[in-house]
Amino acid sequence: MAKTRTVFCCQSCGHSAPKWMGRCPACEAWGTMEEEVEAPKSSAGGKGRGAFGAITNSKPQRLNDIAESSIQRNSTGIGELDRVLGGGLVRGALVLVGGDPGIGKSTLMLQAADKIGLLGGRVLYVTGEESPAQTKMRAVRLGATAEELFLVAETSMERVEQHVAEIKPQVLVIDSVQTLFTESATSTPGSVSQLRAVTARLMVLAKGLEISTFLVGHVTKDGSIAGPRVLEHMVDTVLYFQGQRGHAFRVLRAIKNRFGSTNEIGAFEMQGKGLVEIKNPSALFLAERLAGASGSVVVASFEGTRPILVEVQALVSPTPYGTPRRTTMGVDSGRVALLLAVLEKKAGLDVGASDTFVNVAGGMRLDEPAVDLAVVAALASSHIDRPVDAETLVFGEVGLGGEVRAVVAADARIAEARQLGFKRVIMPKNNLKPEEPIEGILVVGVEKVEEMLDALF
Ligand code: TYD
Ligand code: MG
């Protein structure tokens, strides 16, 4: 008989240790280590690797001999979701949709399930959190009418397998993966080992029967249930649904995607009748901009395959205490510190002794180097308290020497700016194409940060 052993498992990152610790040594979260029974090595639980054994042909083949098979994709009927998935839902893909409770994951999944049903797919929606009547109420609110959409309230993985065998869906939605439990793992539902065991079984279902599967996973800050992070390595695609409390704007972002780009974002707005796709996020992001205010600059950021115009805001003010405060939201704080140093040293602006705040409007997160020049412009504008012309847009990467470096997809950024009525673009000189004049918008190329400041102020 296999001996059962207990380990202490971090409910946030999945790190396991033989003894209890107050703080997880891997992710440094406090109070997240919980005792769990370690699954016997032979079961599908544990690290989840066992699951592959059942589905792969383990005889080595020459790479050249392996037949090429094209990936089959189907539309989910929601354009923004298709975009983030890399152009539609791949058959047999396991997709994790993570996000804070109440952000709209169930709403998105139910809307997608309905649309897939209307497009002729058969969907099984497994809910472990709400009763069928509750889900029906939501469906009525969303106007879901698909004939081939099946619903079951279930928390047992074994029973879900039976339902799948009976209904034979093409798409399966598990809402949420943290409520499911399997008898093959002995720990409580929502723990790391249950989560892994359940996901391993779902992977067998998805790959074996070619069922595209969405797993909804809650992110909890206090670690009361294991987070979706512990599953990221097991699934094909990881999407996070994000938004700020009190804002109707939602962004769906791919963190990992075996079938497409990970930079892609999908934009939605939560309304009374569910989530509405935002076809033109730029217009939305710029809608609340205050004209003539210093410290505000619009940047064209490239997200996946499309440019999005976003407002970068900065506030520079004398510090009341000895050490200046630096706060950033939506951009990397290390990057902002670097840009402040460049401003100080290369452009001669005395910003080092001031409190500095940088924010990206609308709750967006920008991790692209092309945002640098806009951050510099916003900081400088606030520091000297002079607004940047509202019809000017800025993008470019800034190097340590204060040089402005070329970025990708300059043409697409300029085109988006022109479409939204901008009259002037300040961008890296190396991105200029003098042989291809652009009509309707003035394009200014700069080589150094000082040149940009001269052009702006
Ligand atoms: P939900 O999809 O239940 O979130 P999650 O599954 O991520 O926990 O969304 C819940 C919130 O969305 C809730 O606060 C109400 C709001 N909502 C709307 O504003 N409009 C709608 O049509 C629906 C269905 C929900
Ligand atoms: Mg939900």
Side-chain angles (χ1 to χ4, degrees):
M1 206 186 91
K3 214 174 110 201
T4 53
R5 217 164 64 95
T6 63
V7 290
F8 292 86
C9 217
C10 172
Q11 304 297 303
S12 155
C13 73
H15 177 83
S16 65
K19 62 175 176 38
W20 186 84
M21 274 176 272
R23 187 183 201 183
C24 170
C27 70
E28 304 194 334
W30 290 95
T32 56
M33 303 293 283
E34 280 186 22
E35 187 170 17
E36 287 187 10
V37 179
E38 199 178 47
K41 286 277 183 301
S42 58
S43 82
K47 296 272 186 282
R49 287 189 196 106
F52 287 109
I55 47 163
T56 53
N57 167 13
S58 67
K59 190 167 172 286
Q61 278 175 286
R62 283 204 175 81
L63 185 59
N64 287 340
D65 293 345
I66 298 173
E68 242 181 276
S69 68
S70 55
I71 302 175
Q72 277 201 36
R73 292 181 191 270
N74 290 311
S75 172
T76 61
I78 299 180
E80 295 292 291
L81 178 58
D82 284 349
R83 175 205 301 282
V84 180
L85 288 168
L89 183 58
V90 172
R91 254 177 76 176
L94 204 55
V95 181
L96 176 67
V97 182
D100 293 332
I103 204 76
K105 301 180 295 297
S106 302
T107 307
L108 178 68
M109 287 295 107
L110 195 58
Q111 282 183 278
D114 177 50
K115 291 274 166 51
I116 293 168
L118 293 177
L119 289 170
R122 178 175 274 209
V123 187
L124 177 60
Y125 192 108
V126 180
T127 166
E129 305 192 333
E130 293 169 332
S131 67
Q134 271 175 309
T135 308
K136 173 73 186 180
M137 249 165 62
R138 187 198 299 259
V140 169
R141 184 169 170 188
L142 300 174
T145 54
E147 195 57 40
E148 291 292 279
L149 171 52
F150 291 79
L151 188 73
V152 61
E154 186 56 78
T155 52
S156 154
M157 184 60 220
E158 284 72 19
R159 296 283 295 276
V160 168
E161 284 167 347
Q162 285 169 17
H163 296 316
V164 166
E166 202 176 303
I167 304 274
K168 299 191 173 59
Q170 276 116 35
V171 176
L172 177 65
V173 180
I174 304 290
D175 187 4
S176 67
V177 65
Q178 284 131 332
T179 54
L180 270 195
F181 71 93
T182 165
E183 278 138 34
S184 68
T186 39
S187 43
T188 51
S191 64
V192 171
S193 31
Q194 275 289 355
L195 211 53
R196 283 182 176 152
V198 162
T199 307
R201 291 183 80 126
L202 286 167
M203 181 152 55
V204 175
L205 270 189
K207 304 292 165 192
L209 303 175
E210 295 212 303
I211 301 173
S212 310
T213 307
F214 285 106
L215 307 178
V216 172
H218 292 296
V219 177
T220 53
K221 302 244 154 40
D222 61 358
S224 51
I225 46 175
R229 295 218 72 130
V230 299
L231 303 179
E232 283 182 357
H233 67 285
M234 297 173 72
V235 299
D236 296 310
T237 303
V238 179
L239 309 181
Y240 274 96
F241 205 35
Q242 300 163 327
Q244 284 181 350
R245 278 211 185 278
H247 283 265
F249 183 66
R250 302 279 183 273
V251 172
L252 187 66
R253 194 180 279 278
I255 304 296
K256 160 183 171 178
N257 195 353
R258 291 191 180 135
F259 309 115
S261 146
T262 51
N263 305 317
E264 212 62 81
I265 68 163
F268 296 89
E269 196 176 337
M270 183 62 97
Q271 293 187 355
K273 285 187 170 169
L275 292 156
V276 179
E277 295 176 62
I278 300 171
K279 299 281 189 225
N280 189 344
S282 302
L284 184 98
F285 280 126
L286 300 183
E288 286 175 78
R289 192 158 56 117
L290 202 59
S294 66
S296 156
V297 176
V298 178
V299 65
S301 176
F302 206 68
E303 300 286 338
T305 51
R306 64 175 166 178
I308 295 182
L309 306 194
V310 195
E311 178 190 356
V312 176
Q313 301 174 320
L315 187 65
V316 179
S317 73
T319 178
Y321 313 108
T323 342
R325 288 204 338 166
R326 289 181 177 175
T327 309
T328 62
M329 283 198 318
V331 280
D332 180 53
S333 56
R335 197 79 202 158
V336 172
L338 184 154
L339 295 171
L340 278 167
V342 169
L343 257 183
E344 176 115 19
K345 193 101 183 182
K346 301 289 168 185
L349 289 189
D350 179 23
V351 285
S354 303
D355 286 343
T356 48
F357 306 90
V358 176
N359 178 39
V360 179
M364 267 288 281
R365 174 145 197 106
L366 305 174
D367 282 319
E368 206 217 352
V371 177
D372 289 356
L373 204 56
V375 173
V376 170
L379 286 167
S381 161
S382 176
H383 182 69
I384 61 174
D385 203 16
R386 285 178 58 183
V388 170
D389 169 37
E391 294 185 327
T392 296
L393 180 133
V394 173
F395 67 85
E397 179 178 350
V398 174
L400 281 181
E403 78 277 18
V404 177
R405 294 164 171 258
V407 296
V408 296
D411 299 347
R413 297 177 207 253
I414 298 170
E416 178 80 359
R418 190 176 52 184
Q419 205 174 357
L420 279 133
F422 283 82
K423 299 279 185 286
R424 185 170 67 144
V425 171
I426 300 183
M427 57 179 254
K429 196 164 195 171
N430 285 338
N431 275 129
L432 281 186
K433 290 183 192 154
E435 68 284 2
E436 291 173 33
I438 302 160
E439 271 176 40
I441 191 161
L442 177 68
V443 178
V444 182
V446 292
E447 277 182 309
K448 287 186 188 149
V449 165
E450 301 98 287
E451 279 174 45
M452 175 196 68
L453 297 178
D454 284 345
L456 282 179
F457 306 110

